[in-house]
Amino acid sequence: MSERLFINQLSEQTQVDDVYRAADKQLRANRQGNKYILLKLADRTGTLTGMFWNAEDRDFERCQDSEYLHVKGRTQIYNGNMQMIVTGISPVDPSQVDPADFDMFDASASEQAFARLKELLGSVRNIHLRQLLDACLADEEFMTRFKQSPAAVTNHHAFPGGLLRHTVDLIELAQLIGPRYPQLDIDLLTTGAFLHDIGKTEELSSGGELTYTDRGQLVGHIVIGVQYLADRIAVVEAETKSPFPVQLKWHLEHLILSHHGLLEYGSPKVPLTREAIALHHLDNLDAKLAAATSIIDSDISGDKNWTNYNPSMGKKLWKSPID
């Protein structure tokens, strides 16, 4: 087989004859009762929807348990997005593929980001927050998940390691505005920026398809994050043999609970402190700019100035650089 075509190399009307990881596959029926297979194909560069029309049960059954599929078909643009009309699929033995072609996790980039995270957290001087952060960093099982977790299934930082990248960027933003707003407790804001999405380490799955875990769907990352905070505070109290300041605990809980900003966006509380207001807006800024950048970078529109309409943004985006 010739050198593989990665998903980010595909263009409209590309003939495809290659191996992809089947992140998801579903046998469905249309309104006329004709069956088709809906595929989510993936490699290390991204994902692509595949539609195998007029499928039969045996097509699905022989590929149902296979992680990798040899796919034949042709790409097309549908509703502004690339998809593939699949004409043939067959299972592939995992021993016949190069895992590096399908692993979206960049271990080197993650270690660099983690080193930067420790540097930023090292600036915290409040002794109680310092002890709490040390207890989190010492939790090896948690930190392994933290390094590999996505920040979302779609929209922003939706890749393994995305949570760490988002957290580092958010802490840098928090420390950047500190000198401009001396009323803010930067140690508290820095710690809140680190903790705000920690529940996503258990809400989201980074192995294979980016998806929600059972606990993630039932409980959600905000509640999981508050529970993890309580667990780490208990560790600190056991190690120091002294109680953690109760009001400081309340402030940290509030930062986690309110960071989505509005009740309709999933926050149990709206931001009620200066640090919580700052965290919400900085979090939203980083997420929105990361999402916009991803949309622009991956846009397949023939228009050099505008992206296709993006449903999550509710608009097109200008993508041409200023002369």
Side-chain angles (χ1 to χ4, degrees):
M1 185 180 295
S2 60
E3 184 176 351
R4 71 169 292 111
L5 275 176
F6 287 99
I7 286 174
N8 67 349
Q9 296 173 318
L10 298 175
S11 57
E12 188 175 12
Q13 296 301 311
T14 299
Q15 193 69 40
V16 178
D17 184 0
D18 224 318
V19 175
Y20 297 97
R21 184 170 59 80
D24 189 23
K25 41 190 177 293
Q26 301 175 27
L27 182 63
R28 296 183 174 184
N30 62 19
R31 293 178 180 177
Q32 291 72 41
N34 298 319
K35 294 180 179 179
Y36 66 96
I37 300 175
L38 175 64
L39 298 165
K40 185 176 181 180
L41 305 172
D43 62 25
R44 62 179 171 82
T45 69
T47 60
L48 180 71
T49 297
M51 305 295 294
F52 186 6
W53 301 109
N54 299 316
E56 298 183 11
D57 289 345
R58 64 172 180 269
D59 296 316
F60 184 73
E61 290 169 359
R62 67 193 182 97
C63 297
Q64 184 175 6
D65 298 324
S66 181
E67 181 178 3
Y68 298 97
L69 297 178
H70 186 166
V71 179
K72 293 183 179 181
R74 181 178 292 276
T75 58
Q76 67 172 28
I77 305 298
Y78 180 73
N79 282 345
N81 295 308
M82 185 85 71
Q83 71 172 19
M84 186 190 306
I85 300 302
V86 177
T87 56
I89 54 174
S90 58
V92 175
D93 189 324
S95 65
Q96 302 303 307
V97 304
D98 183 354
D101 288 342
F102 303 92
D103 189 358
M104 298 176 69
F105 178 63
D106 188 334
S108 176
S110 178
E111 287 305 318
Q112 291 178 13
F114 185 59
R116 177 60 176 154
L117 174 69
K118 291 193 291 186
E119 179 184 359
L120 291 166
L121 296 183
S123 68
V124 172
R125 294 291 174 258
N126 181 294
I127 182 62
H128 303 291
L129 295 177
R130 178 72 259 167
Q131 291 169 341
L132 174 63
L133 293 170
D134 287 343
C136 293
L137 293 172
D139 186 350
E140 294 183 2
E141 181 181 353
F142 162 73
M143 291 313 306
T144 297
R145 295 198 307 270
F146 188 81
K147 291 178 184 179
Q148 298 180 4
S149 292
V153 172
T154 57
N155 297 331
H156 75 95
H157 300 91
F159 55 89
L163 176 59
L164 175 57
R165 180 72 267 160
H166 171 53
T167 301
V168 168
D169 290 346
L170 184 54
I171 294 174
E172 288 182 333
L173 286 172
Q175 296 193 355
L176 183 64
I177 71 166
R180 178 62 183 83
Y181 300 98
Q183 305 92 338
L184 290 173
D185 184 329
I186 299 304
D187 279 357
L188 179 59
L189 182 56
T190 294
T191 306
F194 169 67
L195 294 172
H196 83 289
D197 269 349
I198 55 171
K200 288 186 176 180
T201 59
E202 292 193 27
E203 180 186 49
L204 304 176
S205 172
S206 60
E209 181 189 7
L210 300 185
T211 186
Y212 288 90
T213 64
D214 291 341
R215 189 183 183 201
Q217 295 194 78
L218 289 169
V219 180
H221 74 278
I222 289 179
V223 174
I224 294 172
V226 171
Q227 291 173 341
Y228 182 77
L229 171 63
D231 173 70
R232 288 298 96 188
I233 287 177
V235 170
V236 171
E237 290 178 330
E239 290 178 346
T240 62
K241 294 180 172 55
S242 61
F244 193 87
V246 65
Q247 286 197 5
L248 186 57
K249 176 184 177 182
W250 293 343
H251 276 285
L252 292 170
E253 289 173 333
H254 182 67
L255 286 166
I256 297 172
L257 291 170
S258 66
H259 76 267
H260 281 189
L262 297 171
L263 301 180
E264 55 265 39
Y265 291 166
S267 276
K269 298 293 295 183
V270 297
L272 300 174
T273 67
R274 286 175 294 205
E275 290 76 20
I277 292 169
L279 178 62
H280 161 60
H281 286 289
L282 293 175
D283 180 38
N284 193 45
L285 171 67
D286 187 59
K288 288 293 191 294
L289 285 179
T293 299
S294 177
I295 291 167
I296 291 170
D297 289 347
S298 62
D299 182 65
I300 56 177
S301 167
D303 190 324
K304 68 177 182 179
N305 291 331
W306 294 97
T307 67
N308 285 311
Y309 176 85
N310 184 268
S312 64
M313 285 280 188
K315 56 192 171 186
K316 296 181 178 182
L317 294 174
W318 174 266
K319 65 182 180 181
S320 179
I322 299 173
D323 292 336

